[in-house]
Amino acid sequence: MDENKMDIIASLAKRRGFIFPGSEIYGGLAGTWDYGPLGVELKNNVKREFWRASVWERDDTVGIDAAIMMNPTVWEASGHLEAFTDPLVECKTCHTRLRADHEDELTRHMDEHRAKGESATWTEPRTFNLMVEARLGVIEGEKDTVYLRGEITQGAHVNFKNILDTTGRKLPFGVAQIGKAFRNEITPGNLTFRSREFEQMEVQYYIRPDDHEAGRWFEYWKERRRAWYIDLGVKAQNLRFREHAPDERAHYARSAVDIEYHAPFGWKECEGIHHRGEWDLTRHTRYSKTPLSYFDEETGKHLTPWVIETSGGVDRAILFFLLDAYREEQDEKGRTRTVLALNPRLAPFKAAVFPLLRNKLALVEKARMLYNNLRSRTARDWMGPIAWDDRGNIGKRYWAQDEIGTPWCITVDFQTLDDETVTVRDRDTTKQERIHAEELGDYLADKLG
Ligand code: GAP
């Protein structure tokens, strides 16, 4: 299954409404994706889990939400206009542009030409800037070039003084953010893995400028972020750390480690932990002429904090959660059951409600009432939506919910009419238990704990 697992996931994502190609009816726009009705629930759940773990559960972080478009000098100061580049080569035969540092892509491209009896040679590599430009202003000819942010990071650093002034935070402290970023990727691909518009989730953690502190917090955040993926269901054996070689590091990084996921297309970066040192704050101090320093009450002096950053991709996390959760099982009759064993906290629907038979009015009415009550309870308590299904037979409904990861299916049957109990069927074990209808809300709240 591994080789075609990406095709399977892409097809399921499209068919069931998780992820659609962007602008599809116009032939698409390479590197853009739209999240459908189920995808947006999954995405919001992933972002909420990040926010919970990075802001709500901690007393040393705050959140922000900065603008996508920033004064262009931000990107000069941050070094992105000069150094945020990838090496590009062009195939002399078909003029396809590819990443010079992605050997697997180059080899595949060569092989395709060779199979057709053609030769394939490359131009010399040249550097290609990834920043996406936009034109801002109302008068043609007087519009200014701005950039759609290439990383969400700078929104935190340019607000360093505002955050200190308004919160009075003491070192160490973190600034968390989730938001869109844009990159002119040379070769977008592997579904949402490399897109041109994507979302990032980050913590910029400000610490004292000291090697021991940096080492300690770097290790702390590596472990903490890896544990976040495992807590949400990713198998530990599918994650590993990979340290960047010095010539591979981004221009702002003193050291960098990737959390990688074992995808069907190889071990791939899921999130980066970077020691950014004083790079951002000193550069913005110099370019903006606004001192971005911290007054140290212990020494009575100003210092420039260092930054340990955790930077993950929301879309990559979603892709890896889907890949990791997907499984096919044979039942006793040899039929294949497809299960998306997502952590219930991430699952788009928290439960589905069915009447046993759609042509028995008493069952349908009872199930509808129960569905409406449960839906308002789970909506009120931020648990998530509940699905309704009365098509086909129960077995088919179970399997349709398994394929989209719904953890529990609730069936109203004839016994319900007598004693108000329903069956609750578990997605992973397929076992059923009978519980009182009134307890359903607490049952879900408890399970989602
Ligand atoms: N602020 C640091 C920074 O942006 P990065 O390693 O360039 O570091 C961080 O990006 C994360 O953003 C990556 O680990 C990845 O999950 C996600 N990401 C980067 N480029 C992406 C792309 N083209 N498509 C989807 N996700 C991307």
Side-chain angles (χ1 to χ4, degrees):
M1 179 168 72
D2 230 37
E3 315 78 64
N4 62 3
K5 197 166 175 189
M6 286 302 288
D7 294 337
I8 293 173
I9 292 293
S11 147
L12 188 151
K14 169 94 199 296
R15 188 164 40 81
R16 299 304 307 267
F18 282 93
I19 303 171
F20 307 128
S23 327
E24 194 183 12
I25 60 169
Y26 287 99
L29 178 68
T32 66
W33 297 92
D34 297 337
Y35 285 82
L38 296 188
V40 69
E41 295 298 336
L42 173 57
K43 193 179 202 190
N44 284 342
N45 293 341
V46 168
K47 291 196 280 187
R48 198 164 53 143
E49 288 299 329
F50 175 79
W51 205 252
R52 185 214 302 275
S54 311
V55 183
W56 293 350
E57 284 180 358
R58 305 185 65 92
D59 70 353
D60 60 348
T61 53
V62 293
I64 61 159
D65 180 20
I68 286 174
M69 293 186 291
M70 305 177 86
N71 184 308
T73 315
V74 167
W75 302 109
E76 232 178 283
S78 71
H80 280 73
L81 291 188
E82 194 186 322
F84 196 47
T85 55
D86 276 337
L88 172 150
V89 288
E90 191 171 313
C91 171
K92 287 184 180 166
T93 311
C94 68
H95 303 291
T96 300
R97 290 170 173 189
L98 292 163
R99 285 272 293 266
D101 56 338
H102 284 180
E103 274 183 31
D104 49 343
E105 278 170 28
L106 298 179
T107 313
R108 208 175 318 123
H109 192 82
M110 289 256 187
D111 289 346
E112 279 166 16
H113 277 303
R114 283 208 194 98
K116 291 189 235 159
E118 297 162 354
S119 70
T121 49
W122 309 109
T123 56
E124 281 301 307
R126 62 185 169 96
T127 50
F128 176 80
N129 193 287
L130 301 181
M131 294 297 287
V132 176
E133 288 182 10
R135 306 270 291 137
L136 195 66
V138 287
I139 302 171
E140 262 335 303
E142 287 183 19
K143 289 183 184 166
D144 287 322
T145 299
V146 294
Y147 300 91
L148 304 184
R149 60 187 177 188
E151 60 171 4
I152 61 172
T153 324
Q154 299 308 322
H157 299 313
V158 300
N159 279 299
F160 182 73
K161 188 172 177 324
N162 283 336
I163 294 165
L164 268 191
D165 289 350
T166 51
T167 67
R169 289 280 157 167
K170 301 278 175 261
L171 291 178
F173 71 91
V175 177
Q177 191 177 195
I178 302 174
K180 292 264 184 177
F182 302 82
R183 294 183 189 176
N184 226 333
E185 295 287 358
I186 297 167
T187 48
N190 282 320
L191 203 62
T192 53
F193 175 76
R194 192 174 302 114
S195 317
R196 290 183 169 142
E197 173 178 341
F198 55 96
E199 228 166 326
Q200 292 186 311
M201 44 188 176
E202 291 192 343
V203 173
Q204 303 298 316
Y205 201 73
Y206 298 99
I207 60 168
R208 288 179 176 279
D210 170 276
D211 280 327
H212 178 71
E213 281 283 283
R216 183 161 79 85
W217 284 112
F218 195 86
E219 284 309 308
Y220 169 86
W221 281 109
K222 263 173 60 183
E223 293 302 336
R224 177 100 193 161
R225 290 303 303 149
R226 180 174 172 274
W228 183 82
Y229 290 97
I230 293 170
D231 178 46
L232 288 172
V234 175
K235 294 171 202 79
Q237 70 267 26
N238 284 340
L239 292 172
R240 72 174 189 192
F241 292 123
R242 190 182 69 81
E243 193 170 342
H244 282 211
D247 62 350
E248 196 192 346
R249 282 181 214 142
H251 61 278
Y252 49 72
R254 289 185 183 202
S255 53
V257 163
D258 286 343
I259 300 174
E260 290 189 331
Y261 178 76
H262 195 195
F265 49 101
W267 283 95
K268 295 291 165 185
E269 176 184 349
C270 181
E271 173 150 350
I273 318 296
H274 308 129
H275 175 2
R276 297 178 76 116
E278 73 287 339
W279 169 266
D280 303 275
L281 293 183
T282 48
R283 295 276 294 198
H284 287 306
T285 297
R286 191 181 332 146
Y287 280 74
S288 70
K289 306 203 171 26
T290 305
L292 299 179
S293 61
Y294 173 87
F295 181 69
D296 185 3
E297 282 167 358
E298 275 173 35
T299 61
K301 289 188 183 143
H302 283 270
L303 58 84
T304 303
W306 285 358
V307 174
I308 303 297
E309 156 187 83
T310 72
S311 179
V314 176
D315 312 82
R316 276 192 197 179
I318 289 171
L319 176 62
F320 296 153
F321 283 132
L322 288 173
L323 284 164
D324 214 70
Y326 183 89
R327 58 174 202 247
E328 290 173 4
E329 288 176 1
Q330 302 295 312
D331 74 357
E332 60 293 344
K333 292 186 183 149
R335 295 170 306 185
T336 306
R337 177 173 90 108
T338 300
V339 187
L340 216 43
L342 289 168
N343 181 307
R345 301 207 304 271
L346 298 184
F349 288 118
K350 299 308 166 202
V353 176
F354 317 140
L356 180 65
L357 301 169
R358 70 182 302 186
N359 55 3
K360 289 278 178 264
L361 192 61
L363 290 182
V364 175
E365 278 179 352
K366 189 85 195 160
R368 267 277 160 198
M369 198 175 69
L370 198 146
Y371 163 67
N372 287 339
N373 289 343
L374 192 59
R375 202 157 41 95
S376 28
R377 163 76 194 273
T378 58
R380 191 193 67 205
D381 290 354
W382 284 94
M383 284 187 250
I386 304 291
W388 167 267
D389 196 358
D390 59 6
R391 295 161 305 172
N393 63 40
I394 284 285
K396 281 200 179 134
R397 293 183 213 158
Y398 282 154
W399 283 28
Q401 294 298 327
D402 290 343
E403 197 189 38
I404 58 171
T406 309
W408 299 286
C409 289
I410 297 158
T411 304
V412 168
D413 56 17
F414 291 105
Q415 193 178 328
T416 317
L417 303 178
D418 289 338
D419 64 5
E420 295 286 327
T421 64
V422 292
T423 63
V424 180
R425 182 257 195 191
D426 183 281
R427 174 196 69 197
D428 301 329
T429 62
T430 73
K431 296 262 178 323
Q432 296 183 22
E433 58 180 317
R434 267 206 106 80
I435 72 163
H436 201 279
E438 268 183 12
E439 289 165 17
L440 280 172
D442 289 343
Y443 177 91
L444 292 186
D446 197 39
K447 293 270 189 190
L448 293 165

